[in-house]
Amino acid sequence: MPRIPLPTPDVMTPEQRKVYDSIVKGPRGTLVGPLRAALHRPELADKWSQMGELLRYRTSLPPEISEIAILATARRWLSQVEWHMHAIAATNAGIAADVIADVKQQRRPANAGAKALAVYDYAVELTANGHVKQSTYDAVLKDFSALGIVELTALIGYYTMVAMTLNAHQIPLPDGVAPPLPEPTP
């Protein structure tokens, strides 16, 4: 059970309903995850949705690269809902099951390409330390340019915020879905 009520369309204020309608008419097609909590402040949910839409659907990064970074971030924060949603998105983006399994087990993916590995290393270092080594930074910069590394850093920060929101408010997995990641230890 979530720790806070999650507004449903039948009880939304006009401001919440406007944001809700905008989200479900966009590329997401549905309202899931942290935006359900953010709707308590419609302006926050609106801006959050815009940023998420930009970072998920309109960057220079290929989807398979974005999804590696999102999975590494979800795994770092043990975000069950984020992992569940993005393991599916990663599969749809063409990421091999063994690569997803390695990220899930916190192993550097043995069968990932060099660009995916550079992004994985970057995401793991950034979420673990709040910093990255120069060599890790340079590997991503070489592959994705200044634009790509700025977008990648924003993507990791955004999905950290997503994970924190999902975890803090205990936003539930879809009905019938078992937690895919280990439970956090107190």
Side-chain angles (χ1 to χ4, degrees):
M1 292 292 298
R3 289 179 165 167
I4 58 174
L6 302 176
T8 56
D10 56 314
V11 298
M12 289 178 185
T13 67
E15 295 82 11
Q16 289 171 324
R17 185 60 194 236
K18 181 179 176 186
V19 174
Y20 171 84
D21 289 343
S22 173
I23 291 167
V24 299
K25 289 178 184 169
R28 287 179 183 90
T30 187
L31 178 66
V32 295
L35 290 172
R36 296 169 67 196
L39 264 179
H40 282 279
R41 172 68 191 249
E43 183 180 10
L44 173 62
D46 184 45
K47 302 299 184 205
W48 185 323
S49 175
Q50 290 175 36
M51 177 176 267
E53 189 176 310
L54 170 67
L55 291 172
R56 180 143 184 229
Y57 301 107
R58 298 194 322 264
T59 69
S60 65
L61 302 170
E64 65 275 12
I65 292 299
S66 293
E67 292 302 333
I68 287 285
I70 296 167
L71 287 178
T73 303
R75 180 59 179 94
R76 163 60 179 94
W77 300 118
L78 293 174
S79 183
Q80 304 291 352
V81 174
E82 187 170 272
W83 179 273
H84 170 71
M85 301 299 291
H86 287 280
I88 295 167
T91 300
N92 292 340
I95 298 174
D98 63 327
V99 171
I100 295 169
D102 281 346
V103 175
K104 184 176 183 179
Q105 296 303 316
Q106 295 182 295
R107 293 187 301 252
R108 193 168 189 259
N111 292 322
K115 290 180 181 183
L117 288 174
V119 166
Y120 174 81
D121 292 343
Y122 189 89
V124 167
E125 280 185 38
L126 188 58
T127 59
N129 308 318
H131 301 275
V132 292
K133 296 179 293 200
Q134 189 65 48
S135 59
T136 304
Y137 189 91
D138 290 344
V140 172
L141 184 63
K142 174 183 69 70
D143 289 335
F144 297 104
S145 78
L147 172 61
I149 203 164
V150 166
E151 291 172 334
L152 177 63
T153 305
L155 181 78
I156 294 165
Y158 174 80
Y159 277 96
T160 293
M161 179 176 70
V162 167
M164 296 295 136
T165 301
L166 292 167
N167 291 351
H169 303 301
Q170 295 181 351
I171 306 299
L173 284 156
D175 289 340
V177 175
L181 299 173
E183 291 295 327
T185 55

